[in-house]
Amino acid sequence: MALIEVKVPDIGDFKDVAVIELLVKPGDTVKVEQSLITVESDKASMEIPSAAAGVVKELKVKLGDKLNIGDLVLLLEGAAAPAAPAATVPSAPPAAPTATPSMPAAASPVAATPPPAATPAPAPERLAPTASLPQHQPGAPTGALPHASPSVRKFARELGVPLDEVKGSGPKSRITQEDVQAFTKAVMSGAASTKAATAKGGAGGGEALGLLPWPKVDFAKFGPVERKDLGRIRKISGANLHRNWVMIPHVTNHDDADITELEAFRVQMNKENEKSGIKITMLAFLIKACVAALKKFPEFNSSLDGEQLVFKQYFHIGFAADTPNGLVVPVIKDADKKGILQISQEMSDMAKKAREGKLGPADMQGAGFTISSLGGIGGRYFTPIINAPEVAILGVCKSQTEPVWDGKQFQPRLMLPLSLSWDHRVIDGASAARFNAFLGQVLADFRRVLL
Ligand code: CAO
């Protein structure tokens, strides 16, 4: 197979530009115009694209090397003959590296901050006439700019990270992609704040989204008040709910399930099992019905991990439990392998432990899907918030006897309101409607669970 020499193209008047980043390694497959290395002069940095497609055979440069036009960058093994070097300078920046699994590229509070004014500003001076790559231009009117390669700049810009607030850990305090990720994580976890948020008071990070500051009111002006610290569970669940609400594009589909026969069966079973001391609950049936739906629609039992979906082959179902200290979500593990009686018993034990504040971390971990039931309390429909990293949650409210048209006349049927919230990055409305419809069919005729 032909070996192709990839050389430094025409980069204008710049001489002895230093190699500051190697973006490929031997064995990598590269496309035409894919960035191979980043070079930097004392005025600007830019990425050198590949003139041809192929597999990297050998890198001919290392970090710190000084390069000039025509210098050999690497040898490619490939069929395509290289284009003329000058024509290889792309007119648009190459794609930024993908976000790592630990920091999904989803919208986040910091992602919504206005991009740093400096990065998209038109550069007064270009490395090469056709190159639009250089972003780090000390001569730009926006003043001193942080030290980072174009790909890191693009990455930061996409996340809305203000680069001038990121501390660089690379040579000469150069900001690396890892620095941008660490900054984002610190802001997300509340361990750090952007200057924009701090300047405006920082309540809940809303200012970082460009929102008005949280209203500060002297309530005592209007009447007597009492202040109480938020409890530990409320603080933890509040922070989690807030993150999930802001980061997940939620949609909720509402539907109704006819549970007339199922409720009659449940009541009958409870009568027959009175002596066992185990009360069969509607929630136990719902857990089993959801397992059947998750088997049929596996994306509802998945999690986003960077650009991959993780499909779980286990069926661990969380259920929201209201306690005097706040909301907790115990998990019924391997619900597919358990019967209704066992699930009812476990739920009752776990709900008791939850109310007594005795649940351990293991009791609340590993859920692939969650059910939040307000059936014992009331209401019609609501919008449950997805319990990340899950991608869907089912809310159920109080069932009511309603007139349902059977084609000839109205029949009194016991109808259970369902509210399914789902992550639109993973699930579409049609799938959600099918999931609810299937759930309705199973609840209407529980024999379908066996199919
Ligand atoms: N429709 C009508 N009645 C229902 C029902 C429904 N969907 N679900 C339960 N009920 C009835 C039960 O049959 C029971 O009636 P009886 O006492 O006459 O038998 C009564 O309501 C109480 O049920 P329960 O709430 O004790 O039991 P459960 O299995 O339904 O729920 C638990 C257990 C732990 C989920 C519940 O106690 C709880 O904490 N729910 C709140 C969850 C919550 O807060 N979700 C919101 C999260 S978002 O903030």
Side-chain angles (χ1 to χ4, degrees):
M1 198 167 281
L3 276 186
I4 301 163
E5 292 187 338
V6 180
K7 296 179 177 174
V8 177
D10 182 359
I11 52 172
D13 287 333
F14 292 83
K15 292 201 168 48
D16 294 325
V17 287
V19 178
I20 56 160
E21 238 178 338
L22 302 174
L23 303 170
V24 293
K25 57 184 183 321
D28 283 358
T29 301
V30 298
K31 298 183 192 141
V32 177
E33 295 202 344
Q34 180 175 335
S35 298
L36 303 173
I37 57 171
T38 308
V39 292
E40 187 185 59
S41 74
D42 54 348
K43 287 191 177 167
S45 58
M46 72 175 292
E47 291 175 5
I48 303 294
S50 182
V55 176
V56 178
K57 179 81 180 152
E58 196 184 345
L59 269 172
K60 291 290 188 185
V61 294
K62 57 183 185 317
L63 290 178
D65 282 357
K66 298 280 169 53
L67 299 183
N68 290 291
I69 179 171
D71 283 349
L72 187 57
V73 176
L74 53 75
L75 294 175
L76 270 187
E77 212 167 43
T88 62
V89 180
S91 57
T98 326
T100 62
S102 59
M103 191 186 57
S108 67
V110 285
T113 52
T119 42
E125 182 182 38
R126 293 284 183 207
L127 283 173
T130 52
S132 60
L133 285 170
Q135 308 267 350
H136 180 187
Q137 298 284 355
T142 43
L145 292 176
H147 208 40
S149 71
S151 63
V152 170
R153 273 171 201 293
K154 185 164 189 286
F155 183 55
R157 202 160 56 242
E158 284 175 352
L159 290 174
V161 168
L163 259 194
D164 56 339
E165 294 180 35
V166 179
K167 202 167 175 325
S169 65
K172 294 191 213 162
S173 300
R174 162 171 291 281
I175 298 166
T176 65
Q177 188 175 327
E178 287 72 32
D179 295 330
V180 176
Q181 288 172 336
F183 181 87
T184 310
K185 278 186 198 163
V187 172
M188 293 298 298
S189 68
S193 172
T194 60
K195 281 181 193 161
T198 312
K200 290 177 185 169
E207 291 77 4
L209 293 167
L211 305 177
L212 287 173
W214 193 257
K216 278 199 169 132
V217 178
D218 177 9
F219 301 103
K221 262 193 346 196
F222 305 106
V225 294
E226 183 196 356
R227 283 182 179 269
K228 280 186 184 170
D229 289 335
L230 287 179
R232 197 179 66 88
I233 291 182
R234 195 165 291 284
K235 272 199 250 176
I236 295 170
S237 65
N240 276 285
L241 289 163
H242 188 184
R243 177 202 55 205
N244 299 347
W245 181 250
V246 170
M247 288 188 72
I248 301 173
H250 281 73
V251 184
T252 307
N253 282 39
H254 303 288
D255 211 334
D256 297 298
D258 185 335
I259 57 164
T260 315
E261 271 81 34
L262 187 59
E263 176 61 5
F265 178 67
R266 188 185 76 87
V267 171
Q268 176 67 26
M269 284 298 105
N270 275 336
K271 265 190 203 147
E272 288 178 19
N273 280 303
E274 220 164 15
K275 284 191 193 130
S276 74
I278 303 173
K279 184 176 160 194
I280 299 176
T281 62
M282 184 50 71
L283 199 45
F285 284 106
L286 277 163
I287 287 178
K288 275 312 250 192
C290 283
V291 168
L294 294 175
K295 284 183 177 170
K296 193 168 167 69
F297 303 97
E299 70 268 32
F300 286 79
N301 192 24
S302 73
S303 284
L304 261 179
D305 188 355
E307 290 193 339
Q308 286 192 321
L309 264 189
V310 182
F311 288 90
K312 289 146 213 169
Q313 284 156 14
Y314 49 82
F315 298 89
H316 302 340
I317 312 291
F319 66 97
D322 186 30
T323 78
N325 296 321
L327 185 69
V328 290
V329 185
V331 180
I332 303 289
K333 306 268 166 45
D334 296 315
D336 55 321
K337 301 189 179 108
K338 293 174 181 167
I340 297 288
L341 274 175
Q342 190 181 351
I343 292 176
S344 296
Q345 179 69 63
E346 269 190 40
M347 267 179 21
S348 157
D349 294 346
M350 283 186 145
K352 184 165 176 282
K353 264 171 96 177
R355 282 191 291 272
E356 291 167 354
K358 290 185 181 161
L359 284 178
D363 294 323
M364 295 182 278
Q365 284 169 358
F369 183 83
T370 293
I371 303 178
S372 177
S373 171
L374 295 173
I377 304 166
R380 294 296 285 157
Y381 304 95
F382 68 114
T383 311
I385 298 178
I386 296 165
N387 197 14
E390 294 157 41
V391 294
I393 181 169
L394 179 72
V396 290
C397 284
K398 196 174 179 68
S399 54
Q400 281 185 20
T401 301
E402 293 173 18
V404 176
W405 186 251
D406 71 358
K408 290 188 187 131
Q409 57 188 333
F410 283 105
Q411 297 283 357
R413 305 296 294 175
L414 188 63
M415 303 303 287
L416 177 73
L418 306 174
S419 301
L420 180 74
S421 291
W422 41 278
D423 183 337
H424 213 332
R425 294 170 301 173
V426 178
I427 293 162
D428 294 326
S431 304
R434 287 188 194 108
F435 186 99
N436 270 349
F438 178 77
L439 206 54
Q441 287 171 0
V442 170
L443 292 168
D445 184 350
F446 217 72
R447 291 171 302 180
R448 287 176 187 270
V449 161
L450 302 170
L451 297 176

